[in-house]
Amino acid sequence: MRVLVIGSGIGGAATAWHLAARGAEVVVADAARPGTATEAGAGIVSPWTSRWEDALYPLAAAAGRYYREFTAELADSSFEVVGGMIVSADDAELAEAQERLASRAADAPEIGEVRRLDPAQARELFPALAPGLGAVHLAGAGRVDGHLLRRALLSAAERRGAKFVEGEVAFRADGTVVSPDGPLEADSVVVAAGAWSRELLAPLGIDLPVTPHRGQISHFDLPDTDTDTAAWPVVLPRTSHYLLAFGGGRVVAGATREAESGFDYRVTVAGQREVLENALTVAPGLADATLTETRVGFRPGTPDGLPILGLLRPGLAVSTGFGAGGLTNAPFAGKLVAAMALGEDPGFDLSPFAPDRF
């Protein structure tokens, strides 16, 4: 079976990898665009710490569990379990977080050990933290570099026979897909074009409510770091911002969530200030770090905050709308959507994410 995957971000890359593993003839088509969310992103794989109580949590929990399985098959996936800390100066907030993790641990042993840390203990693990912040630590949280994970998936898919078409592709009204080199024939098509999925599907008369949400994420280099930053846990304040560290003294702080940005590919003064203020409030020890770069990525957002996964019509599937959870959820979703593209039951209830819910 020949399957065309349009889009090579984390959603498309994961879907292509799964399809190739199943023996499908896979073609991945994409154009280089500024602002692809996967290339900009540094992901925290810790769905259990979220406040999601809706349909997204079962998918995210399954995706978190799946990470250890699928990354074991990839070279240089960049995924590492380093532990995570929910940090706060409010004991009541920490107690609530600890209770939530405890309630989820029975069904998610991947959470690992959960324990309270006083401020001194928290700073031992992440020395840049503010002195007054206590933490709830969970051993099972992980981190991943979006660029490296995408490259690992696409390289593995290519080794399994996947082919790549570079350049803009488009649908004609009759459903034909055309590239700069001519039509692309396929038995099944998967649209995984992230924030660009809506405009791609418009010629088919399909209005998929996916819009770009700009995220600005900053990278710092710490001078003369004695501690091995590769071992620092991810840090989750009680906001949408976060901190995570890689080796060599690199710390990443993010990210803004700008739902009205359109495809405005800029680092803005307000966005940079938001990232820096949140980072330094939680970790004032970063004040002397070098600001090496700020990346911009357009996350695909939906009106209800849930991804869009499933069939639009026979032979046409979609995998998009992951918002800020793409690096966590898209690899598992790619497995499910690949099964649907092959005409199979995905074995997971995707009805909350069906495209026709809109």
Side-chain angles (χ1 to χ4, degrees):
M1 187 171 183
R2 183 181 176 90
V3 184
L4 171 63
V5 179
I6 304 177
S8 65
I10 188 63
T15 303
W17 179 67
H18 284 292
L19 286 165
R22 299 289 307 280
E25 181 184 353
V26 181
V27 176
V28 181
D30 205 357
R33 297 183 178 91
T36 55
T38 301
E39 288 296 291
I44 293 175
V45 183
S46 183
W48 321 283
T49 54
S50 74
R51 295 184 179 182
W52 295 327
E53 298 293 350
D54 57 17
L56 187 54
Y57 179 70
L59 178 74
R65 182 179 309 116
Y66 184 58
Y67 243 89
R68 290 152 175 78
E69 177 183 337
F70 89 89
T71 55
E73 302 179 38
L74 294 174
D76 302 321
S77 72
S78 82
F79 173 68
E80 292 187 78
V81 176
V82 293
M85 295 193 300
I86 300 172
V87 298
S88 177
D90 187 326
D91 284 342
E93 282 191 350
L94 293 176
E96 185 272 333
Q98 187 171 17
E99 181 180 356
R100 184 171 64 256
L101 287 172
S103 69
R104 291 174 168 178
D107 296 322
E110 304 80 22
I111 289 174
E113 181 186 8
V114 177
R115 59 194 176 105
R116 282 285 291 270
L117 303 178
D118 63 32
Q121 291 170 320
R123 292 187 76 195
E124 285 181 11
L125 296 180
F126 200 101
L129 278 183
L133 294 177
V136 175
H137 181 273
L138 68 158
R143 64 156 187 254
V144 67
D145 183 306
H147 168 75
L148 294 178
L149 178 59
R150 171 183 176 269
R151 187 170 66 185
L153 286 165
L154 292 175
S155 295
E158 187 173 22
R159 289 193 296 272
R160 288 169 167 168
K163 306 298 182 184
F164 296 88
V165 174
E166 295 185 7
E168 295 281 354
V169 300
F171 280 102
R172 291 176 176 159
D174 64 359
T176 303
V177 181
V178 293
S179 75
D181 297 326
L184 295 175
E185 302 292 337
D187 301 302
S188 183
V189 178
V190 177
V191 171
W196 291 268
S197 298
R198 187 176 199 166
E199 61 186 61
L200 180 68
L201 288 164
L204 300 180
I206 297 171
D207 184 17
L208 204 68
V210 177
T211 55
H213 293 190
R214 183 171 60 193
Q216 302 182 49
I217 179 171
S218 294
H219 290 236
F220 311 134
D221 280 340
L222 297 177
D224 303 322
T225 302
D226 295 328
T227 306
D228 180 10
T229 52
W232 287 13
V234 300
V235 174
L236 301 161
R238 308 309 295 147
T239 68
S240 63
H241 287 258
Y242 54 84
L243 296 166
L244 66 156
F246 293 92
R250 181 160 63 109
V251 177
V252 180
T256 63
R257 298 189 181 191
E258 304 169 67
E260 305 299 326
S261 66
F263 289 103
D264 184 0
Y265 182 69
R266 292 184 301 128
V267 177
T268 65
V269 173
Q272 186 67 85
R273 181 181 66 181
E274 179 184 332
V275 172
L276 294 178
E277 286 182 347
N278 276 274
L280 293 178
T281 297
V282 173
L286 298 175
D288 193 42
T290 301
L291 175 59
T292 56
E293 65 173 321
T294 296
R295 300 178 184 178
V296 174
F298 300 111
R299 296 159 167 162
T302 62
D304 58 9
L306 300 179
I308 303 175
L309 307 170
L311 293 176
L312 292 163
R313 59 178 64 167
L316 179 60
V318 64
S319 178
T320 189
F322 294 102
L327 285 173
T328 295
N329 298 324
F332 181 63
K335 178 182 181 181
L336 307 180
V337 173
M340 298 184 79
L342 295 174
E344 300 172 357
D345 184 337
F348 192 92
D349 181 15
L350 291 177
S351 59
F353 317 111
D356 61 7
R357 72 183 187 273
F358 299 109

